[in-house]
């Protein structure tokens, strides 16, 4: 167990820097929206989904729409379905740790646990557990600290809520750059514009997600042949 921790910790140091910065931003952002530090602390502990937590903060301010929440969550986190399939063999026979490994499988954690060649003298289950637990702790502690410090911030935080928009723009651009062809990006943009015109700003989200999902499903094979998926 200790040997696995010592082997896993160095791999998580780069993630620590990123998670703490974004976690602090998330905590402060939640405070700006009017939430106590308890909210980012608990959400980072039980949701642990990065970008989805930013979205959840805004969803909590509006009327509760279960279908919209479900579709938004599915669209944002759908890639984890493929992560899970990829890790079926690795997580098999890991006992009780398997359940936590599945819960904590974010992008960075998946990348490390999937690609790192674990030393033979280190228990594989404990190694992956510590990778997951450390990354989870980095996000949790950053978000909690940001929520606490948010109430102490004295500078003008007006416009800080734009961080979520900026984050999704960056995610979109990164995905755009990875694709050989840009069919998925064009489908997303076109569906969003058309639904915005038809349903207006207050009601276009769900139709847009349904349209994008339908188009990607319908044209999946042609897009794959053209190299449109990264």
């Amino acid at each position: 167990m200790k040997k696995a921790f010592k082997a896993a910790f160095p791999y998580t140091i780069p993630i620590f820097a990123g998670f703490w910065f974004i976690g602090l931003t998330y905590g402060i952002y939640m405070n700006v929206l009017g939430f106590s530090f308890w909210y980012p602390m608990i959400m980072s502990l039980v949701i642990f989904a990065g970008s989805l937590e930013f979205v959840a903060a805004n969803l909590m301010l509006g009327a509760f729409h279960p279908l919209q929440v479900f579709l938004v969550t599915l669209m944002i986190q759908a890639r984890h379905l493929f992560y899970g399939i990829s890790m079926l063999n690795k997580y098999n026979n890991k006992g009780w740790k398997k359940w936590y490994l599945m819960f904590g499988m974010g992008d960075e954690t998946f990348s490390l646990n999937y690609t790192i060649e674990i030393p033979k003298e280190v228990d594989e289950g404990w190694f992956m557990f510590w990778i997951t637990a450390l990354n989870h702790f980095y996000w949790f502690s950053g978000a909690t600290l940001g929520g606490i410090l948010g109430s102490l911030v004295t500078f003008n935080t007006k416009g800080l809520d734009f961080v979520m928009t900026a984050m999704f723009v960056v995610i979109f651009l990164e995905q755009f750059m990875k694709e050989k062809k840009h069919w998925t990006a064009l489908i997303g943009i076109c569906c969003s514009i058309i639904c915005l015109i038809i349903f207006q700003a207050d009601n276009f989200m769900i139709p847009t997600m349904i349209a994008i999902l339908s188009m990607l499903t319908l044209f999946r094979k042609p897009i794959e042949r053209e190299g449109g998926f990264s």
Side-chain angles (χ1 to χ4, degrees), residues 26 30 40 43-44 47-58 139 143:
Y26 167 63
M30 287 287 287
M43 290 171 67
S44 63
I47 299 178
F48 188 38
S51 56
L52 179 61
E53 292 180 44
F54 281 89
V55 175
N58 282 272
W139 177 255

Side-chain angles (χ1 to χ4, degrees), residues 71 75 187-201 203-216:
L71 289 174
M75 292 294 290
I187 287 173
I189 292 172
C190 291
C191 288
S192 299
I193 293 174
I194 293 171
C195 289
L196 180 61
I197 293 172
I198 296 174
F199 299 99
Q200 303 302 312
N203 302 303
F204 87 105
M205 183 64 72
I206 292 178
T208 298
M209 289 186 291
I210 293 175
I212 292 174
L213 185 60
S214 300
M215 293 292 287
L216 291 178

Side-chain angles (χ1 to χ4, degrees), residues 105-121:
M105 188 168 52
D107 297 342
E108 296 79 6
T109 300
F110 166 76
S111 298
L112 293 178
N113 282 337
Y114 187 77
T115 59
I116 292 175
E117 186 174 345
I118 303 172
K120 294 182 179 180
E121 67 274 10

Side-chain angles (χ1 to χ4, degrees), residues 165-206:
T165 303
M167 179 182 65
F168 278 104
V169 169
V170 171
I171 292 173
F172 171 79
L173 291 175
E174 287 183 347
Q175 185 65 26
F176 185 86
M177 296 299 293
K178 288 179 182 179
E179 293 179 336
K180 297 177 182 179
K181 303 289 184 178
H182 304 299
W183 296 116
T184 57
L186 292 174
I187 287 173
I189 292 172
C190 291
C191 288
S192 299
I193 293 174
I194 293 171
C195 289
L196 180 61
I197 293 172
I198 296 174
F199 299 99
Q200 303 302 312
D202 293 335
N203 302 303
F204 87 105
M205 183 64 72
I206 292 178

